[in-house]
Amino acid sequence: MFRRIFSGKVQGYFIRQFSVCELPQELQDIQKTCRNFANRELKPVAAALDANSRFPAEQMKNLADLGLMRVTVDTEYGGSNLNMLALSLVVEELSSGCGATGSIVSIHNCLYADMLNRLGTKQQKELFFGKYPRETIGVFALSESDAGSDVAALDTMAVKEGDCWILNGTKAWVTSAAEAKSGIVFATVDSELKHKGITAFLLDFDQAAGLKVGNPEDKLGIRASSTCSLYLENVHIPVKNVLGPIGGGFRIAMEQLDRARIGIASQALGIAQAALETAVQYAKQRKAFGQSLLELSPVRMRIAEMAVRIESARLLVRKAACEIDRNGRATKACSMAKWIASETATFAAHNCQQILGGMGYVKNMPAERYYRDARITEIYGGVTDVQKAVIAELTIGEMNA
């Protein structure tokens, strides 16, 4: 859909037109389409998807038909050729309907499709984008049980034999692994080199004898999104499927995680916005002390704090997305956006529960799901303490320059 609407638009167009006050009409159209989709196809089923840990397969197919599973991918590979600001809006709106669906769309787009489109060779893109339909999920397998925030400590090994690399190891916390058909896997070609030995490999699950996908984790939130381990035992990957330079995996992973943090921050914004809207709607209807909750000063103060934090976080997220689109690197802005937006999601979900009282604690209202879904946004993509450390280091470095 968006490929047809926006054909001929270059990515920089949106940056030139963007202001903090108003999105250009093209982005407003994307926002409205995604908001309508969330209201129509996600909100009615979000509770059931969560309760049953059910992957939203039908919704993914419909999102792919809208061009939203390859948002930043070139049109020649079935993409919509939009930018990170557009992708941020997509994820925010979808997450307001279902945090898990927003997570699936975010991580697939930010960490797999965008990376393959940016760094893949023409042959790689033709193979991996061409083999599977647009709704097919790709994964990003970087973390390990002993190498989460400390990426340089990877144990998964890659040994070259002839025209293949042979991978052995275990990757942890892989989003959508249960449904995926392909992915980007990181391994070290020499553990002595630490981060300089890390290399990225494109993995076609159908061609990966020795690959086993573990059982999905039983998670607190985003339960419609599977999270599994990948077990690699003598998995052969052709030399042609090395993504980027040998030993260049750490650098490109860090660059891609900047984009992922915009996606996670956008997911957090969507959850926070849904929490605010639910709180206001409930407070309008609920009576206490002879008046609606909405007239009570403590409730109004909570709503004011939620609104200000959400708007502040939203501006940080859009600034980070624009910096990515303009310069390609925006590590400090992305860490700021991810930190503040994720804490805002938890804050808004908490206050939504407080306003709803007992109804905020039961499963026939969405407030408790918002809280459970919000918590992961402070954890994956780099815990909040990591974001603070990144911001501090870059800020100090700028002042000492």
Side-chain angles (χ1 to χ4, degrees):
M1 174 181 177
F2 292 127
R3 284 203 316 281
R4 293 195 297 273
I5 291 176
F6 299 112
S7 59
K9 300 289 187 186
V10 295
Q11 292 193 11
Y13 174 87
F14 295 118
I15 303 306
R16 291 194 298 274
Q17 297 295 320
F18 174 65
S19 78
V20 295
C21 299
E22 185 178 11
L23 293 170
Q25 188 61 51
E26 290 84 354
L27 290 183
Q28 291 182 48
D29 291 343
I30 293 174
Q31 191 177 45
K32 182 178 179 181
T33 296
C34 293
R35 186 172 299 160
N36 289 340
F37 186 95
N39 289 333
R40 185 180 65 251
E41 299 200 36
L42 295 179
K43 285 186 179 180
V45 299
L49 294 173
D50 173 78
N52 298 301
S53 298
R54 188 174 76 242
F55 181 77
E58 179 182 349
Q59 289 75 20
M60 289 296 108
K61 174 66 168 64
N62 294 339
L63 287 169
D65 290 342
L66 287 172
L68 299 180
M69 294 303 288
R70 296 181 184 176
V71 175
T72 62
V73 175
D74 296 340
T75 54
E76 65 181 298
Y77 303 113
S80 295
N81 195 32
L82 299 175
N83 60 12
M84 284 303 301
L85 179 57
L87 178 52
S88 173
L89 295 172
V90 169
V91 173
E92 178 184 347
E93 294 300 334
L94 296 180
S95 298
S96 72
C98 175
T101 301
S103 177
I104 295 165
V105 172
S106 169
I107 293 171
H108 166 76
N109 272 289
C110 294
L111 283 175
Y112 174 75
D114 182 78
M115 184 170 176
L116 175 57
N117 186 69
R118 287 195 315 115
L119 303 177
T121 65
K122 181 176 178 62
Q123 181 186 38
Q124 289 170 340
K125 288 187 277 191
E126 287 175 347
L127 174 60
F128 283 86
F129 285 136
K131 180 176 180 179
Y132 296 108
R134 285 178 295 170
E135 66 268 23
T136 306
I137 300 291
V139 301
F140 182 87
L142 176 64
S143 295
E144 298 177 4
S145 58
D146 293 325
S149 299
D150 184 10
V151 174
L154 292 186
D155 285 331
T156 299
M157 292 295 303
V159 177
K160 191 168 187 246
E161 287 191 10
D163 60 355
C164 283
W165 287 89
I166 301 175
L167 271 61
N168 282 279
T170 301
K171 311 305 290 187
W173 313 113
V174 183
T175 300
S176 300
E179 297 80 25
K181 295 293 186 182
S182 59
I184 300 168
V185 179
F186 293 82
T188 181
V189 299
D190 186 343
S191 57
E192 296 282 321
L193 295 175
K194 297 186 177 180
H195 71 277
K196 293 182 179 179
I198 297 173
T199 303
F201 300 88
L202 287 164
L203 180 63
D204 186 336
F205 285 21
D206 287 346
Q207 305 295 321
L211 172 67
K212 179 183 176 184
V213 179
N215 294 326
E217 301 287 349
D218 189 8
K219 305 193 300 291
L220 174 71
I222 57 167
R223 293 174 57 82
S225 164
S226 69
T227 303
C228 310
S229 292
L230 292 181
Y231 302 96
L232 302 108
E233 184 175 353
N234 295 325
V235 173
H236 288 62
I237 297 182
V239 170
K240 66 181 181 180
N241 287 352
V242 173
L243 183 62
I246 301 296
F250 180 83
R251 179 184 58 80
I252 62 178
M254 293 304 100
E255 289 178 357
Q256 207 63 40
L257 283 170
D258 284 348
R259 290 163 165 77
R261 286 164 184 159
I262 291 174
I264 295 166
S266 303
Q267 176 196 1
L269 279 178
I271 295 168
Q273 184 66 38
L276 174 59
E277 292 172 2
T278 297
V280 170
Q281 187 63 33
Y282 182 84
K284 281 182 182 179
Q285 300 169 355
R286 178 78 164 87
K287 302 287 185 181
F289 306 105
Q291 57 188 324
S292 76
L293 290 185
L294 208 56
E295 299 304 314
L296 299 178
S297 180
V299 172
R300 296 173 75 88
M301 295 306 100
R302 287 185 185 274
I303 289 170
E305 285 191 79
M306 293 162 72
V308 169
R309 291 199 187 198
I310 291 169
E311 192 64 19
S312 299
R314 184 172 285 122
L315 291 173
L316 280 173
V317 174
R318 292 185 182 174
K319 176 180 183 290
C322 287
E323 286 196 17
I324 285 283
D325 289 330
R326 185 168 55 244
N327 300 320
R329 288 300 301 273
T331 299
K332 180 179 172 182
C334 293
S335 287
M336 285 181 168
K338 201 267 188 185
W339 166 20
I340 299 304
S342 62
E343 288 194 349
T344 295
T346 300
F347 176 85
H350 168 81
N351 279 275
C352 178
Q353 285 187 304
Q354 292 299 115
I355 291 171
L356 268 63
M359 293 307 294
Y361 202 66
V362 296
K363 288 187 177 293
N364 60 337
M365 289 290 283
E368 61 85 31
R369 174 165 46 84
Y370 298 152
Y371 190 84
R372 291 186 288 106
D373 285 352
R375 290 297 300 117
I376 190 59
T377 66
E378 294 186 61
I379 299 170
Y380 69 174
V383 296
T384 299
D385 290 342
V386 167
Q387 307 312 318
K388 291 179 179 180
V390 168
I391 294 163
E393 180 179 356
L394 292 173
T395 299
I396 294 167
E398 290 167 359
M399 292 184 175
N400 289 335

